[in-house]
Amino acid sequence: MGSIEAYETTKGRRYRALYRRPDKKQTQKRGFTTKKAAELFLATTEVNIAQGRYLDPSLARVTVAEWLQTWLAARGDLRATTHSRVENIIDKHITPELGSIPIGNLTRLRVQEWASALPGAPATVRKIVNVLSGALRFAVEDERLPSNPAARLKLPKPTKTRKRYLSHDQVAALAQAIDKMKDGRDYGYGLVVLTLAYCGLRWGELSGLRIRDLDLDSKHPRLTVEQTVVADKGYQRIEPPKDYEHRSIPIPAFLVRLFRAQIAGRDSDAPVFYGIRTGTWLRNHVYRVGWLDPAATAIGLGGLTPHELRHTAASLAVSAGANVKAVQRMLGHASAAVTLDVYADLFDDDLDGVATALDQAAMQSDVANLLPKAA
């Protein structure tokens, strides 16, 4: 059993609760202004010890800043680019406001106030809060906190923006506009547009595409995504594909001849698309500023991004009759559910088609007898 002791301070009498932790070591909690408060703490602590729910208060004295660094250092599962992004969020958005607070003193109200004052779009705010919440969830699992004060906060809801899908003619116009620019055709930069729009690659996958990843001689030409090139603090880094899943993507026949010309006479390990100055992996920023942005503006598609060409690939595939599973495999989504969630608007016509098909089938069955006779 624990005990309560009074002691004197410059601010008056205070009380402390003495008790033994589950490891039988004597410890205490000081600073109670009333004996009743100390007794309530002691009773609660003894119940928690008896039920196996005791948390050592000393483990929660680590500050938010210290715990975030400990948590991040333990996250060996993070990609280098993700690690850099999380590190930037911690340094820029979390540590300045919350860093000096012990995690045990971090209240839900304080975290909500911090989250509500964060700048940026709703999606950006959620990414920042998710970093703190993930670190504190780990503190709960490490038995430092009884609950996560950053869980289930009231956050602004992201607004869905309408995706821009290009038509076949717009894709052709964009590729032609780039090919007409200085060095555009010589380095295959118009072909970059066609590859993104008809194969659905992410930019890093396109940048990391090597000549040996192209199979142009088989009955069904394919390109294989085996790596992705990402920018990390100004440097390019080779990483496995997103979700660590290699995939094979069909190449439309009209692209095969263009690819043959692009890779002719070069080594199999060389990048399919490369920078003019570096001779290595093509950088997103360089390509956009030098070719994509001016060409898109010239044909009335200002502000177009490479990722919108990936959206276009999904749109063109669906309009050509591809089902959701085929689109999922081409884009490398984790599941068809993800594809439907991202591109639900592309399948609206499919729903109308289902109704039409059901009507035709029903009218050829006894259901037709249920309809009133025509006058």
Side-chain angles (χ1 to χ4, degrees):
M1 295 292 292
S3 60
I4 306 297
E5 289 183 356
Y7 63 96
E8 299 297 330
T9 71
T10 56
K11 295 182 180 181
R13 176 167 291 190
R14 295 291 184 268
Y15 297 85
R16 59 187 168 203
L18 294 90
Y19 60 96
R20 291 189 181 278
R21 301 183 313 199
D23 60 6
K24 305 306 180 183
K25 291 184 178 180
Q26 182 80 23
T27 189
Q28 61 177 295
K29 171 71 173 176
R30 300 166 56 92
F32 297 100
T33 56
T34 65
K35 185 176 181 181
K36 184 175 181 179
E39 290 173 340
L40 179 60
F41 168 82
L42 181 60
T44 302
T45 299
E46 289 180 338
V47 169
N48 288 338
I49 291 175
Q51 295 180 349
R53 294 187 287 109
Y54 172 78
L55 298 179
D56 186 349
S58 65
L59 297 179
R61 292 176 191 154
V62 60
T63 66
V64 171
E66 293 168 338
W67 179 249
L68 285 168
Q69 293 306 316
T70 299
W71 167 76
L72 186 58
R75 291 297 305 273
D77 59 309
L78 297 180
R79 292 172 179 263
T81 48
T82 304
H83 188 283
S84 296
R85 179 178 62 81
V86 170
E87 190 174 40
N88 181 64
I89 288 174
I90 290 172
D91 293 342
K92 186 176 180 180
H93 297 289
I94 304 179
T95 300
E97 294 294 325
L98 305 176
S100 62
I101 303 174
I103 60 173
N105 294 350
L106 197 59
T107 64
R108 184 175 181 80
L109 175 60
R110 181 67 186 90
V111 177
Q112 180 66 67
E113 291 172 339
W114 162 78
S116 298
L118 286 171
T124 301
V125 169
R126 287 177 176 268
K127 288 179 181 179
I128 295 170
V129 172
N130 285 343
V131 171
L132 177 63
S133 183
L136 295 179
R137 182 170 60 249
F138 190 65
V140 173
E141 295 169 353
D142 199 44
E143 299 184 346
R144 292 172 179 266
L145 293 176
S147 62
N148 182 354
R152 300 181 300 279
L153 296 179
K154 303 297 182 183
L155 301 175
K157 293 182 179 180
T159 55
K160 287 191 175 181
T161 56
R162 187 174 181 83
K163 292 182 178 64
R164 176 163 51 171
Y165 305 113
L166 274 59
S167 67
H168 291 283
D169 288 343
Q170 288 174 317
V171 172
L174 182 61
Q176 289 170 356
I178 290 176
D179 279 342
K180 290 178 181 178
M181 298 173 68
K182 184 178 183 297
D183 297 322
R185 181 180 295 276
D186 292 341
Y187 288 88
Y189 289 170
L191 180 57
V192 169
V193 169
L194 298 176
T195 304
L196 292 171
Y198 287 99
C199 297
L201 300 179
R202 300 175 179 91
W203 178 265
E205 295 169 346
L206 176 128
S207 179
L209 194 64
R210 298 159 299 188
I211 291 174
R212 66 183 176 91
D213 296 327
L214 299 178
D215 179 5
L216 305 178
D217 297 320
S218 66
K219 182 179 180 181
H220 300 288
R222 293 282 192 275
L223 67 80
T224 303
V225 175
E226 293 189 345
Q227 64 180 23
T228 183
V229 174
V230 297
D232 181 22
K233 298 180 180 178
Y235 295 94
Q236 290 181 301
R237 184 192 304 274
I238 296 175
E239 291 186 352
K242 190 174 182 180
D243 299 325
Y244 299 92
E245 184 176 353
H246 297 182
R247 69 184 192 279
S248 178
I249 299 172
I251 303 175
F254 77 90
L255 283 180
V256 172
R257 289 175 60 188
L258 297 174
F259 273 128
R260 289 192 191 282
Q262 175 70 11
I263 66 176
R266 295 198 287 130
D267 185 77
S268 64
D269 283 328
V272 174
F273 304 105
Y274 56 95
I276 295 175
R277 295 180 183 177
T278 64
T280 186
W281 319 112
L282 182 60
R283 290 178 179 267
N284 187 316
H285 176 73
V286 172
Y287 181 73
R288 288 189 63 177
V289 172
W291 288 272
L292 182 63
D293 289 351
T297 299
I299 65 170
L301 295 173
L304 187 76
T305 68
H307 204 73
E308 287 180 292
L309 293 172
R310 175 172 160 85
H311 295 331
T312 294
S315 173
L316 296 180
V318 171
S319 65
N323 61 45
V324 64
K325 195 65 181 177
V327 177
Q328 174 223 333
R329 293 179 62 184
M330 178 180 74
L331 298 178
H333 287 159
S335 68
V338 173
T339 306
L340 281 172
D341 184 52
V342 175
Y343 296 110
D345 55 324
L346 293 179
F347 294 91
D348 287 344
D349 291 341
D350 282 4
L351 292 176
D352 295 335
V354 169
T356 301
L358 287 173
D359 180 71
Q360 292 173 349
M363 290 302 96
Q364 296 173 7
S365 73
D366 290 341
V367 171
N369 299 328
L370 300 176
L371 298 179
K373 301 296 183 182

